[in-house]
Structure formats: C-alpha cells, structure tokens
Amino acid sequence: MLTGAVLALVAVVVVAVTTTGGRDGEQVATLDGRPVTRDELLFHMGRLAPTVQNELTTTYHLASPFSWNAKTGAKSALQRLETSALDEIREDRATLVLAQDHGLVDSVDFADLTAERTEENEARAQAVEAGQTVYGVTDFSLEEYYTHRLTELATKLKDLLSKDAGDPLHVTDAEVRKAFDADPDSWSANATTYAYTQLVVQVPDGAPAGFAAALQRRVDAAGHLADVTGVADAKLTTATYGGSGTTGLSTHDQDLVSVLGELDRGEVSAPVKGTGQITYYQLDSVKTDTDKAFTEYSQRIRQSLVEKKYATYLQRRADDASMHVDSSAVAAINAKDVQQ
C-alpha cells in the first residue's frame, strides 16, 4: 500500500511538472492559442529593461537609484516593463508565425529557438576546431542569436513575399514611378550636376580673433563670391561636380555634395573651416538628368517600398493576434527576476 501511495505521488508530481514545464517554462499567456512562457517573457523584459528604464526615468523624473517597484502613474515600473515585453512578443511572433506559415521555421516556441541556438553554437565550435572558416559570431549569446534569427527571417520573408504579382509585398513599376515622382530630389544625387563658385581664403599666422567674423561681413555685403574684395590670400575658382552621389566618395567630395545639395541657386554657403583656411561655396546652377536618376534609383526605391509594405503587413498581423494574459502568473514576476 505504501509503495502504491509513493508511486501515485510521483505520478502527480510528474504530471504537474509536465503540465507547467517547471517554473521557467510556466505559461504566462497565450498568443493565438500558442503558449508564451515565463522564461520567454523574462528574456524580453531583460532586453527591454535599459530602454524602458531610461524612458520611465525621464517621463516620471524617478529618483536614483532606479527601482522597478517605483510608481509610474497608475502602474509600477515593473508592470510597464511587462507590458512592453508582451507587446514585443506579439510583434516578434508575427514574424515567426509568418515564417512558419511559409516553411522557413518548424516552430515558433521560445524553447525551440534557444535549443536551435545551442545547436548552432556547437556546430560553429566544431567548425573552428576543424580549422574551417566561420563567418560572424562563433558563440552567440541568446540575445545575439535571437536578433540574428529574426533579422534573417525578415530578409527571407521580404524576398519571398514580393516576388510575383499578387504577393502581399509585391511592388509594381507604377508604384516605383509614383514614389520617384512624389519626391525626385531624394533620388537625384547620382544624376545631378552642380556648377559652383568656390572662394578659399588663407588665414594668416597670428590672425586676429575677429578675422573670421570680418570675412563673413565682407561676404554678406558682397552677396556673390565674385564680388568679394579687399581680402588678401583669397582664391576664386569655378567648377562643376556631379553624377557620383555620396557612396564611395572621398571625404572632400562627400562634404562638397553635402554643402551644394543644401543650397538654392545663387546662395552662398556658411563658412567651411579647414586647417589654415576658410572656404565658401556658391551654387551657380544645378541640373538633374531625370531619366538617369530614375534608372539608377529604381531598385532602391522598390526596396524601400517593400520595407514599408512589410512593416504595415506585419503590424496588421500582430494587431489581429489574440493575446490572453495570465495575470496571476505575470504578477508572480518580481524585480529580482529582472535583475538576475
């Protein structure tokens, strides 16, 4: 009889552990019927803790040292962190569920993702030991792997869901053209030619403290760089620049495009101070080859539209997801759990 009682008790304990998954695996919520576990919630709370702490400290003028038990309006700081973490889980699960729907992952469970990270680290360690090339991190922390995995899945989903007409993220040629026409200035750097005047003034050794201010007054009075007079060691030149954008340029060319791109025709720039000299630029004319600009930027515009559609599509799925929170299970989490 005693043996039977012990066996019955063991059976009850096994059932209890299996049902709850232990304290760390305890279910604290469901999202569209899928479990959200305590360790998953704590993981996201840990990720968000620094950001939420900064926001709450600023908003509610909390005293130092910071305490998660501090009152922040109608809720404690800890409760606001829990809400932020649950919101993040809702949004991230939208990516994971979408990836599962399209066969990119087998499971959206947090425990499976952590196990996947362990397997990945083991595989990378074996590759390193075998003298093979391993790209990127050789030993992912859980947060590093989580971020890496979601980024990887998002990239694949954007490609997969934008390929063909009728796909939810597909961008038509007409949409690309419309976006270009709506803001052509943002897509013209690689096809714009600037004609400009440049005035370079050497700053003499031992120049008085008011040298730059006096020069500025002369430039302002003249209105045009060609009309600036009475300045020693000044060199006036004209030139053109264009067609290369800002990618892969020298620092000087990047700075030049940055200055010219902000000027209206005939406008003189603010002084650009360098070592031993002060330079002014005046935009004389600007010409953009619209056809060239559209050709060079169409792919970038298309990708930006895919990004916008993806964000909207994912947010809609997240908003439509049904989350039920076990208030008592969440309330059992305390400040010490976050600090561990």
Side-chain angles (χ1 to χ4, degrees), residues 122-135:
E122 290 174 351
R124 287 174 177 249
Q126 292 172 3
V128 170
E129 188 176 352
Q132 300 172 2
T133 301
V134 175
Y135 296 98

Side-chain angles (χ1 to χ4, degrees), residues 14-340:
V14 170
V15 170
V17 173
T18 303
T19 302
T20 63
R23 185 165 176 76
D24 286 343
E26 176 186 352
Q27 182 173 303
V28 296
T30 59
L31 187 58
D32 280 345
R34 295 180 171 93
V36 175
T37 58
R38 183 175 186 273
D39 52 345
E40 182 176 4
L41 179 57
L42 285 173
F43 168 75
H44 285 274
M45 290 173 68
R47 274 164 52 90
L48 293 173
T51 301
V52 173
Q53 178 179 331
N54 289 337
E55 291 174 352
L56 295 179
T57 299
T58 301
T59 303
Y60 294 96
H61 309 290
L62 300 179
S64 181
F66 179 86
S67 170
W68 287 110
N69 294 319
K71 281 295 182 182
T72 56
K75 296 182 178 181
S76 70
L78 183 65
Q79 289 171 326
R80 293 190 183 276
L81 176 60
E82 289 166 346
T83 298
S84 296
L86 288 168
D87 288 342
E88 182 174 79
I89 289 171
R90 177 192 290 272
E91 293 173 4
D92 289 356
R93 279 285 188 93
T95 298
L96 292 168
V97 171
L98 187 59
Q100 186 181 43
D101 290 345
H102 290 276
L104 299 179
V105 296
D106 295 327
S107 170
V108 302
D109 291 344
F110 184 71
D112 290 334
L113 186 140
T114 59
E116 184 181 292
R117 167 236 177 188
T118 300
E119 293 175 1
E120 180 67 22
N121 281 342
E122 290 174 351
R124 287 174 177 249
Q126 292 172 3
V128 170
E129 188 176 352
Q132 300 172 2
T133 301
V134 175
Y135 296 98
V137 179
T138 56
D139 186 49
F140 285 103
S141 68
L142 182 54
E143 183 169 354
E144 286 172 338
Y145 187 74
Y146 185 86
T147 301
H148 159 77
R149 194 72 174 104
L150 258 68
T151 300
E152 180 182 56
L153 290 173
T155 299
K156 290 180 178 179
L157 285 168
K158 290 169 199 171
D159 291 341
L160 184 66
L161 300 179
S162 64
K163 284 184 178 180
D164 303 317
D167 287 343
L169 307 184
H170 183 69
V171 174
T172 65
D173 292 343
E175 288 175 304
V176 174
R177 186 73 213 194
K178 182 179 179 181
F180 176 82
D181 290 340
D183 189 15
D185 290 344
S186 296
W187 310 105
S188 61
N190 284 3
T192 299
T193 300
Y194 302 94
Y196 65 96
T197 299
Q198 174 180 282
L199 178 68
V200 180
V201 179
Q202 301 299 320
V203 179
D205 293 337
F211 179 86
L215 174 61
Q216 183 67 59
R217 286 194 295 270
R218 287 183 178 275
V219 171
D220 291 341
H224 292 81
L225 294 183
D227 297 331
V228 176
T229 59
V231 180
D233 294 323
K235 182 179 180 181
L236 185 73
T237 58
T238 58
T240 59
Y241 181 88
S244 300
T246 58
T247 303
L249 301 182
S250 66
T251 301
H252 172 269
D253 286 349
Q254 289 183 42
D255 292 342
L256 176 62
V257 172
S258 177
V259 171
L260 295 177
E262 294 298 319
L263 298 178
D264 293 327
R265 191 168 303 176
E267 185 180 3
V268 176
S269 73
V272 178
K273 296 181 180 181
T275 304
Q277 66 182 30
I278 298 175
T279 304
Y280 288 90
Y281 297 94
Q282 177 182 303
L283 181 63
D284 298 326
S285 67
V286 57
K287 182 179 180 181
T288 300
D289 185 334
T290 304
D291 291 338
K292 179 182 178 182
F294 180 74
T295 299
E296 294 205 12
Y297 282 101
S298 59
Q299 187 54 42
R300 195 181 302 182
I301 295 171
R302 188 181 302 277
Q303 188 57 43
S304 72
L305 293 176
V306 168
E307 295 282 350
K308 290 178 181 178
K309 287 192 175 189
Y310 178 74
T312 301
Y313 183 68
L314 209 63
Q315 189 61 57
R316 186 166 61 247
R317 288 178 63 99
D319 292 342
D320 290 343
S322 176
M323 176 176 279
H324 297 283
V325 178
D326 184 336
S327 299
S328 60
V330 172
I333 295 174
N334 56 46
K336 290 183 179 179
D337 293 322
V338 179
Q339 294 165 357
Q340 290 176 352

